[in-house]
Amino acid sequence: MKILSLDTSSKNAIVVITQNEEKIIELNNEEEKTHSQKLMPMIDEAFQKSKLSLDDIGLIICCLGPGSFTGVRIGIATAKAFADSKNIPVVGVNSLEALAYSLETEGKICAIIDAGHENAYVGYYEIRKDENGNLKTVQEDLTFLNLTDEKLKEIQKQYKIVNEQNDGLGITMAKIGYTKYKNGKAGNSSILSPVYLRKSQAELALEAKNNS
């Protein structure tokens, strides 16, 4: 089965096409353009280079965040439009989960994504192998916090920390999504909804205005 995976949760937009878990093509774009400008051209390029089209896609995987509020919404809207137009099943993967799985190891893992101003999106995971040797999440806890040096040292005592998004994150997301699909966790586009661990700047500004 050919799978299209999209991640617009960070500055780096990622488009991946796989055959099950085998990568066919992966494109990354960190240009100073909005995701609304660069996502569709990237998808078109991926289809052209792989000599495929949306008609060949049997599953769409979409990153749900946390991350850029606008970026996440654009990625989900695109995945929903594609899925609805061709009746393609979808799977959602959160960015912290993909980051944790990029280590490709068992254990207690803490995934950290910088949210600016010393704040961070944090995912605490316990990951184990199932009876088939595939990694699976035993426990997950997502939060948004002020990541002080003291707090980071506290986390390091219990968890392996991964906090750098890398070029392999796209294929990791694709693999997680495919595993979820095999485990019956795919559905129609209605199952895709953003993972927000904090309020947007617009919401915070409105609250401040109302409370002033």
Side-chain angles (χ1 to χ4, degrees):
M1 178 172 62
K2 292 179 174 62
I3 303 167
L4 173 66
S5 299
L6 309 174
D7 181 4
T8 52
S9 64
S10 67
K11 177 183 174 183
N12 181 26
I14 302 173
V15 174
V16 184
I17 298 176
T18 54
Q19 172 72 43
N20 296 339
E21 293 186 349
E22 297 300 317
K23 181 169 69 176
I24 296 174
I25 187 169
E26 178 174 359
L27 300 177
N28 293 265
N29 188 328
E30 293 190 44
E31 293 179 5
E32 291 292 342
K33 293 182 180 179
T34 64
H35 289 302
S36 61
Q37 291 177 300
K38 60 188 178 184
L39 181 58
M40 285 306 301
M42 288 176 68
I43 294 170
D44 289 339
E45 181 183 352
F47 280 143
Q48 289 173 13
K49 288 185 174 179
S50 62
K51 296 182 171 59
L52 298 170
S53 73
L54 191 58
D55 291 325
D56 299 305
I57 300 300
L59 177 67
I60 296 174
I61 296 167
C62 182
C63 183
L64 306 177
S68 162
F69 284 76
T70 302
V72 168
R73 288 195 295 268
I74 289 170
I76 290 177
T78 302
K80 283 176 176 281
F82 284 171
D84 291 343
S85 67
K86 300 290 184 180
N87 197 28
I88 303 171
V90 299
V91 171
V93 176
N94 80 62
S95 50
L96 290 166
E97 185 177 23
L99 192 56
Y101 273 77
S102 70
L103 290 181
E104 298 184 342
T105 185
E106 292 183 286
K108 297 178 72 174
I109 298 169
C110 179
I112 299 173
I113 295 176
D114 183 13
H117 306 290
E118 297 185 345
N119 295 317
Y121 302 110
V122 178
Y124 300 100
Y125 289 88
E126 184 173 354
I127 297 174
R128 300 297 176 195
K129 287 184 178 179
D130 61 20
E131 61 275 10
N132 298 316
N134 298 314
L135 295 175
K136 69 174 183 178
T137 299
V138 176
Q139 187 172 351
E140 175 188 61
D141 183 22
L142 308 181
T143 188
F144 176 77
L145 52 79
N146 181 254
L147 195 62
T148 62
D149 289 340
E150 183 178 342
K151 182 63 177 178
L152 189 59
K153 289 178 181 178
E154 180 185 327
I155 294 172
Q156 287 174 325
K157 293 177 182 179
Q158 302 181 57
Y159 295 87
K160 299 175 186 176
I161 292 179
V162 54
N163 60 4
E164 292 184 3
Q165 298 191 40
N166 54 57
D167 291 340
L169 201 54
I171 190 64
T172 300
M173 178 181 64
K175 289 180 178 180
I176 295 171
Y178 181 55
T179 298
K180 289 188 175 187
Y181 168 80
K182 290 189 293 184
N183 291 335
K185 295 182 179 179
N188 61 34
S189 67
S190 66
I191 71 170
L192 297 180
S193 60
V195 175
Y196 294 145
L197 299 182
R198 67 178 177 91
K199 295 179 180 179
S200 69
Q201 289 301 118
E203 289 174 310
L204 292 172
L206 181 60
E207 285 186 359
K209 181 179 178 180
N210 291 338
N211 292 331
S212 62

